[in-house]
C-alpha cells in the first residue's frame, strides 16, 4: 500500500467514489495496469486492458475472467463501480475456485449484473457456478435461506433494487458484503439480493475474487475504483 500511495497521488486517482476513504478499505487496482490480476483463460488476455484509469473487458463472443491474485478470501467487503453502455452480462466472482469445474472457469458464488432490462435472474441476482446446485440461487429483490439439507426458502426484500435505480449508460456503485454463511450486495445503495447458505456440504468458505466477461454476443464492460476490506477474524 505504501509503495502505491505516491503513484496514486501523482495520477490524481480518487477512490472516494467507491468508498476507499472508508476505514479499512484499500485499492486493489492501481489505475494504470493489470498488475495483481490475471486473465483466465490466459489466451484471452487481450480481452482485458486499462484505459484512462478503468479496467475494460471486451469480447467478440468468447468469455473470460480477470482474477485478483492477492490470495483467497473468506469474509470481506468489496466495492467497485461498473459501466455497461450496451447489452452485456457480467458480474463479480466471490469465493471462487479455479480448476474445480468442467462447466465454468470459476466455480463458486457470483454477484450478477448486466445491462438494464436483462432480467431479474441476472441484474442483481446471486448465482452459484460449477456445482450441482443449479446456477441461480436467488433473483433480484429477494433473500434466499438454504437450509443444511438444501431446502430453499425465499422472501421479498423491502426497498430492494429496481432497474430504475441502475444507470443504463453511467457508472454504478456495487458493494459486496460476505460474512460466514451470508452474502449480500447493493447497487447504488439499494440491496440487490441476499443469500444465507447453511448447506455446509456445498457451501464454499474461501476462494478468489474476480471480474467476469460473459460469453455470447460482442460486449463491453468497464470497472474502476476497486477497493477491498478484509473482515476476517485474526
Amino acid at each position: 500500500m505504501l509503495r502505491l500511495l505516491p503513484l496514486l497521488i501523482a495520477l490524481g486517482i480518487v477512490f472516494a467514489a467507491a468508498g476507499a476513504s472508508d476505514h479499512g478499505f484499500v485499492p486493489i487496482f492501481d489505475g494504470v495496469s493489470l498488475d495483481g490480476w490475471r486473465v483466465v483463460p490466459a489466451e484471452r488476455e487481450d480481452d482485458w486492458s486499462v484505459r484512462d484509469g478503468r479496467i475494460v473487458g471486451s469480447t467478440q463472443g468468447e468469455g473470460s475472467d480477470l482474477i485478483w491474485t492477492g490470495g483467497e478470501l473468506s469474509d470481506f467487503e468489496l466495492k467497485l463501480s461498473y459501466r455497461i453502455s450496451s447489452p452485456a452480462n457480467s458480474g463479480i466472482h466471490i469465493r471462487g475456485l479455479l480448476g474445480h469445474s468442467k462447466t465454468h472457469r470459476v466455480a463458486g458464488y457470483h454477484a450478477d449484473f448486466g445491462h438494464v432490462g436483462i432480467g431479474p435472474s441476472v441484474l442483481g441476482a446471486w448465482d452459484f457456478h460449477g456445482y450441482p446446485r443449479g446456477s441461480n440461487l436467488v433473483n433480484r429483490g429477494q433473500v434466499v435461506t438454504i437450509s443444511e439439507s438444501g431446502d430453499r426458502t425465499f422472501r421479498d426484500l423491502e426497498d430492494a433494487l429496481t432497474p430504475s435505480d441502475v444507470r443504463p449508460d453511467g457508472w454504478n456503485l456495487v458493494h459486496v458484503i460476505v460474512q460466514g454463511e451470508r452474502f449480500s450486495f447493493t447497487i447504488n445503495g439499494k440491496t440487490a439480493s441476499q443469500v444465507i447458505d447453511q448447506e455446509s456440504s456445498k457451501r464454499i468458505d474461501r476462494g478468489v475474487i474476480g471480474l467476469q466477461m460473459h460469453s455470447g454476443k460482442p460486449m463491453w464492460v468497464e470497472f474502476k475504483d476497486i477497493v477491498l476490506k478484509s473482515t476476517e477474524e485474526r
Side-chain angles (χ1 to χ4, degrees), residues 38-41 48 63-67 93 105-106 211-213:
R38 71 182 180 97
V39 177
V40 176
W48 296 87
S64 61
D65 304 286
L66 186 65
I67 305 300
H93 298 298
R105 297 177 300 273
V106 186
L211 310 176
Q212 181 202 45
M213 177 56 55

Side-chain angles (χ1 to χ4, degrees), residues 6-226:
L7 176 61
L8 297 178
I9 294 174
L11 290 172
I13 298 173
V14 179
F15 288 93
S21 60
D22 294 347
H23 178 71
F25 281 92
V26 295
I28 59 173
F29 166 51
D30 64 16
V32 294
S33 74
L34 293 179
D35 290 350
W37 299 80
R38 71 182 180 97
V39 177
V40 176
E43 57 266 28
R44 306 301 307 174
E45 63 180 1
D46 290 343
D47 290 351
W48 296 87
S49 61
V50 177
R51 307 179 190 180
D52 300 324
R54 315 178 314 270
I55 292 177
V56 178
S58 63
T59 179
Q60 294 302 309
E62 297 292 332
S64 61
D65 304 286
L66 186 65
I67 305 300
W68 182 60
T69 61
E72 295 187 343
L73 301 172
S74 177
D75 298 339
F76 61 92
E77 295 185 38
L78 176 72
K79 294 183 182 182
L80 60 77
S81 291
Y82 77 91
R83 180 166 64 181
I84 296 177
S85 300
S86 60
N89 186 337
S90 184
I92 307 169
H93 298 298
I94 305 298
R95 291 185 185 170
L97 303 177
L98 302 175
H100 282 244
S101 171
K102 295 181 179 179
T103 59
H104 291 79
R105 297 177 300 273
V106 186
Y109 303 92
H110 184 75
D112 216 350
F113 50 78
H115 65 276
V116 173
I118 198 171
S121 65
V122 178
L123 177 58
W126 276 101
D127 292 343
F128 194 91
H129 291 167
Y131 275 70
R133 310 182 81 175
S135 181
N136 178 261
L137 290 180
V138 64
N139 286 350
R140 179 181 70 236
Q142 294 184 312
V143 53
V144 61
T145 299
I146 308 172
S147 72
E148 180 64 41
S149 63
D151 295 330
R152 302 185 186 190
T153 303
F154 297 88
R155 63 176 175 84
D156 292 335
L157 289 166
E158 295 184 4
D159 195 27
L161 179 78
T162 67
S164 63
D165 298 313
V166 182
R167 304 177 183 95
D169 297 305
W171 289 100
N172 296 282
L173 174 62
V174 176
H175 183 186
V176 178
I177 302 174
V178 181
Q179 190 72 34
E181 63 187 22
R182 296 177 177 269
F183 303 78
S184 178
F185 79 105
T186 67
I187 299 179
N188 297 330
K190 289 292 192 74
T191 301
S193 58
Q194 298 178 337
V195 175
I196 303 172
D197 189 358
Q198 300 171 343
E199 191 177 11
S200 58
S201 64
K202 294 181 179 179
R203 186 178 62 234
I204 297 175
D205 294 318
R206 179 176 295 273
V208 301
I209 58 176
L211 310 176
Q212 181 202 45
M213 177 56 55
H214 206 282
S215 59
K217 296 180 179 180
M219 62 185 74
W220 175 290
V221 182
E222 300 169 273
F223 303 90
K224 67 175 184 176
D225 302 333
I226 308 173

